[in-house]
């Protein structure tokens, strides 16, 4: 509530002193929302509980016993899922709000303990033998069903991560760059397939209204993964880098067009930045072919000028999106 507006109204004699005083009193007595503070504490509680159980098990593994540990994890998992099934709202392809604040965190804890249970079972007892893909596929199936059945974005992100693990790739952009061998042709194509699949799921979710609010999560993971895979292809392939550049341009055009349609500056931003990285790689490759000292100076001028150009372009695009949203 803007008190200055009411003070101007009083100065213009449109309201009296008693009405102005009532407005100020109402503003002073307005309740302060603790929504995000409580949600943060609950999320922190789930993480601390999961971490605490892990430390407790690690330090007492010899005295507790593996069967007891599995039983504890299984009881926690079953209890969380039992609670969520009893409290959940009826299923709908539209967005379904949680019945209470504790519901989301109970579901998250249940999913975390389920993944831990399956992983522990495979690690300690090799329950699935050498079928390691099955040990990741089962959590993937359960997490995917749970994400849709209970309508939870956090669980959906876990499901996407397990999908990436099942396909043999670490999902976060940092891990893609630092922990994986992108010299592997198979890994690059896996990234393209995974990213394309996630973008397709985002498109279907948004256009068919099948959990439409899931589209952002799918598109976010898909865009980063496919862009990084294309950049890796440009760096690894000496003969076919131009084809990877063209492929990335097509994907970038699609994501850019969708971002403008949805008025999403975030996806415009990442498309421009990844496009700039790809263009810079192309320029450097072409300058290397010249094998001339002049190419070095041209490269320096390019990076100085292009950096300024990207900033100006992003500012211009942000203004266009804001004007289009009005």
């Amino acid at each position: 509530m803007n008190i200055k507006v009411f003070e101007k109204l009083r100065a213009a004699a449109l309201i009296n002193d008693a009405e102005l005083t009532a407005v100020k009193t109402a503003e002073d007595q307005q309740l302060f929302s603790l929504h995000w503070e409580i949600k943060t504490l609950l999320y922190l509680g789930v993480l601390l509980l999961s971490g605490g159980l892990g430390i407790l098990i690690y330090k007492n593994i010899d005295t507790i016993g593996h069967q007891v540990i599995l039983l504890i994890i299984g009881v926690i998992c079953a209890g969380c899922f039992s609670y969520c099934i009893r409290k959940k709202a009826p299923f709908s392809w539209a967005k379904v709000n949680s019945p209470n604040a504790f519901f989301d965190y109970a579901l998250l804890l249940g999913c975390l303990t389920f993944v831990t249970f399956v992983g522990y079972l495979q690690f300690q007892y090799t329950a699935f033998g050498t079928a390691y893909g099955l040990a990741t596929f089962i959590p993937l199936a359960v997490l995917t069903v749970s994400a849709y059945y209970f309508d939870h974005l956090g669980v959906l992100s876990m499901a996407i991560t397990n999908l990436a693990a099942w396909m043999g790739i670490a999902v976060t952009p940092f891990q893609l760059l630092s922990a994986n061998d992108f010299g592997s042709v198979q890994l690059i194509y896996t990234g393209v397939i995974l990213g394309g699949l996630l973008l397709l799921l985002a498109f279907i979710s948004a256009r068919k209204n099948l959990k439409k609010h899931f589209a952002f999560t799918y598109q976010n993971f898909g865009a980063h993964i496919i862009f990084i895979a294309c950049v890796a292809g440009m760096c690894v392939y000496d003969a076919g880098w131009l084809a990877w550049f063209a492929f990335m341009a097509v994907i970038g055009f699609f994501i850019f067009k969708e971002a403008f349609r949805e008025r999403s500056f975030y996806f415009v931003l990442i498309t421009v930045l990844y496009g700039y990285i790809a263009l810079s790689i192309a320029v450097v490759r072409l300058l290397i072919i010249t094998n001339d000292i002049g190419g070095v100076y041209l490269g320096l001028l390019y990076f100085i000028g292009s950096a300024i150009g990207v900033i100006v372009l992003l500012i211009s695009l942000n203004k266009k999106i804001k004007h289009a949203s009005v």
Side-chain angles (χ1 to χ4, degrees), residues 70 73 115-129 135:
L70 280 171
I73 296 173
V115 173
T116 304
F117 182 86
V118 174
Y120 197 108
L121 200 63
Q122 172 64 13
F123 175 78
Q124 186 60 38
Y125 297 103
T126 57
F128 305 102

Side-chain angles (χ1 to χ4, degrees), residues 47-58 72-73 76 109 113:
L47 292 175
L48 289 176
L49 177 60
S50 301
L53 287 174
I55 294 172
L56 177 65
I57 292 170
Y58 177 77
I72 293 172
I73 296 173
I76 294 174
L109 180 60
T113 50

Side-chain angles (χ1 to χ4, degrees), residues 3-321:
I3 299 298
K4 291 183 178 180
V5 173
F6 290 94
E7 290 176 345
K8 291 180 180 180
L9 292 175
R10 176 65 189 94
L14 296 176
I15 61 175
N16 55 40
D17 291 333
E19 291 171 332
L20 179 60
T21 302
V23 171
K24 289 182 177 180
T25 301
E27 175 67 17
D28 293 337
Q29 295 179 351
Q30 187 175 5
L31 296 177
F32 177 74
S33 175
L34 296 175
H35 174 77
W36 290 109
E37 287 82 356
I38 293 174
K39 291 193 72 172
T40 301
L41 289 175
L42 286 171
Y43 272 122
L44 182 61
V46 170
L47 292 175
L48 289 176
L49 177 60
S50 301
L53 287 174
I55 294 172
L56 177 65
I57 292 170
Y58 177 77
K59 290 187 174 181
N60 300 276
I61 186 68
D62 295 330
T63 57
I64 296 177
H66 297 294
Q67 292 85 358
V68 176
I69 292 171
L70 280 171
L71 178 62
I72 293 172
I73 296 173
V75 168
I76 294 174
C77 178
C80 290
F81 274 108
S82 176
Y83 171 82
C84 292
I85 290 172
R86 285 187 287 106
K87 296 293 183 179
K88 73 172 290 293
F91 176 80
S92 173
W93 286 109
K95 185 175 182 179
V96 178
N97 294 322
S98 300
N100 56 62
F102 180 71
F103 179 89
D104 288 339
Y105 310 98
L107 177 62
L108 189 61
L109 180 60
C111 291
L112 286 171
T113 50
F114 177 78
V115 173
T116 304
F117 182 86
V118 174
Y120 197 108
L121 200 63
Q122 172 64 13
F123 175 78
Q124 186 60 38
Y125 297 103
T126 57
F128 305 102
T130 57
Y132 300 109
L134 189 61
T136 54
F137 180 79
I138 291 176
L140 165 62
V142 172
L143 291 172
T144 303
V145 172
S146 298
Y148 279 87
Y149 186 67
F150 297 108
D151 200 331
H152 197 286
L153 286 171
V155 177
L156 178 66
S157 297
M158 292 175 61
I160 294 173
T161 304
N162 272 266
L163 173 61
W166 182 63
M167 295 182 68
I169 191 171
V171 75
T172 60
F174 176 77
Q175 289 174 325
L176 284 173
L177 291 172
S178 63
N180 290 295
D181 177 21
F182 262 111
S184 169
V185 175
Q186 182 179 1
L187 191 57
I188 293 175
Y189 282 106
T190 300
V192 171
I193 294 171
L194 175 60
L197 175 62
L198 294 174
L199 290 175
L200 178 62
L201 289 173
F203 181 81
I204 294 173
S205 295
R207 294 298 175 90
K208 301 297 183 180
N209 288 322
L210 302 175
K211 296 293 183 184
K212 188 175 181 179
H213 53 294
F214 282 7
F216 176 86
T217 302
Y218 281 128
Q219 188 173 354
N220 188 35
F221 278 98
H224 282 291
I225 291 172
I226 199 168
F227 278 145
I228 293 176
C230 289
V231 168
M234 289 186 65
C235 294
V236 171
Y237 288 90
D238 291 328
W241 68 267
L242 193 58
W244 281 102
F245 179 75
F247 176 71
M248 185 172 178
V250 173
I251 297 297
F253 174 78
F254 168 76
I255 296 176
F256 186 87
K257 184 179 178 182
E258 284 294 303
F260 245 90
R261 190 181 67 84
E262 296 292 335
R263 308 289 184 262
S264 173
F265 180 70
Y266 171 74
F267 285 111
V268 169
L269 173 65
I270 65 172
T271 303
V272 171
L273 292 180
Y274 279 116
Y276 175 65
I277 293 172
L279 180 62
S280 299
I281 293 173
V283 170
V284 170
R285 278 188 170 275
L286 291 174
L287 290 176
I288 290 175
I289 295 175
T290 63
N291 195 23
D292 185 12
I293 188 64
V296 176
Y297 295 117
L298 286 175
L300 292 175
L301 290 174
Y302 162 77
F303 281 108
I304 295 173
S306 62
I308 297 173
V310 167
I311 294 172
V312 173
L313 175 62
L314 289 174
I315 293 173
S316 175
L317 291 173
N318 188 32
K319 290 180 179 178
K320 287 183 179 180
I321 291 176

